[in-house]
Amino acid sequence: MTAELSERIGRIRFSSTMETAARADELRRRGVDVVDLSVGEPDFPTPEHVKEAAIRAIRADFTRYTPAAGIPELREAVCARHAADFGTRYEVPECVITAGGKHAVFNFIQTLVNPGDEVIIPAPYWVTYRDAVLLAGGRPIVVPTEPAEGFTLRAEEVRKRVSDATRMLILNFPNNPSGALLDSGEAARLVELAVGCGFWILSDECYANLVYEGEPFSVASVPGAASVVLVAGSLSKTYAMTGWRIGYGLGPRHVIEGCIRLQSHSTSNPNSVAQKAALEALRGPQDCVAAMREEYRWRRDRVIARLRRMPGVTVHSPGGAFYAFPGIGAWLEDGRFPSSAAFAERLLEEVRVACVPGEAFGAPGHLRFSLAASRQALEEGLDRIEAFLARLAR
Ligand code: GLU
């Protein structure tokens, strides 16, 4: 038997966000005092009422297989919450429950992308899109956005990259890592473009409820979007439920049916107990969401203000999500650091602050710091970065 892995697996890399987090974790286990600002994971516990619902589910022996698509009441609750938050009108057959938002992205790409298809991905992009497209045999076509414009996406830039082979455009707003929001006028133009040219828009709305400027917005609410937009959503960030692994997909019935067929052979069903917890999260009181969002807002303001005072650092204030994504290009100019990855490596080695370099997101010259860490960890991390830069400047 050959030891070779499949050609398919050879196309993808280990997730760099997960890798940086694992590295920080390993250092911590060895007793090293690391400030981990790498992975984007809420530091809050899952709300009590959600945990209680899961405990009740276990006690009631809700521990067997569920339908592959998820339990109908949870599918209904997802549609109802999306309608309440964003004004959409999805019905149960247009919804699938998945093992996290990442799984919804994966399902949609596997269901729709054929070998050779082009998938347009605005940069900076979350690490997984590129690899999920490559795994399906698709070709990622990257559209850069400008740091000076706060990484906002313009429909015109997407239009220039559309070809006969375009199968999908992946949107992720609020954006991980930049925190950029999508302008509703640009969203309408993108939907029009997708309808006219016949491609799908996959909207990853993992941070849709973490918006600090204006109202939460879904591209699925744009008139005419229903036939071209697919929503990948997650409970992980909104309700501090990363480990529970519950997300969802919303879209036209036949696409959702394809996702369910795939899921029936991969995960069988999302975790039964976690589905009951998710049901409580979506139907129960929503004040926990607002409370966490206000805390992230405070941290954002504090971290951005401090980063702006640091030499050689440029940063815009993110309109959503929970990351700061400063540019450190000035520190790379004199050749001391060949890349932001090398800079991040030195930051970890010298002052024990873990972050994810911009290369991982297709935006070299930047670093991503997660704001989903305690105030104390953030202040300590910033103190250390300041000390590191002061030493470099000497
Ligand atoms: N989405 C989070 C991040 O970007 C969690 C890690 C991951 O799944 O990539 O850090």
Side-chain angles (χ1 to χ4, degrees), residues 15-70:
S15 156
S16 35
T17 43
M18 311 280 299
E19 193 170 32
T20 331
R23 179 123 186 263
D25 199 44
E26 193 201 312
L27 285 171
R28 242 193 329 261
R29 279 172 206 272
R30 294 206 327 246
V32 179
D33 167 29
V34 185
V35 178
D36 184 5
L37 306 181
S38 65
V39 76
E41 170 159 46
D43 54 313
F44 301 106
T46 300
E48 279 307 313
H49 63 287
V50 176
K51 291 194 284 197
E52 286 302 326
I55 292 165
R56 281 198 302 277
I58 294 174
R59 294 211 192 287
D61 292 319
F62 193 73
T63 51
R64 297 175 181 267
Y65 292 133
T66 75

Side-chain angles (χ1 to χ4, degrees), residues 23 37 105 108 110 159 237 283 313 319 331 373-374:
R23 179 123 186 263
L37 306 181
V105 168
F108 279 132
Q110 283 293 320
R159 197 191 56 76
K237 310 298 177 3
R283 282 192 180 160
V313 175
W331 291 106
S374 70

Side-chain angles (χ1 to χ4, degrees), residues 15 17-18 38-40 102 126-128 176 207 237 323 368:
S15 156
T17 43
M18 311 280 299
S38 65
V39 76
K102 191 181 273 185
W126 178 50
V127 295
T128 289
N176 172 9
Y207 300 93
K237 310 298 177 3
Y323 304 99
R368 190 193 78 173

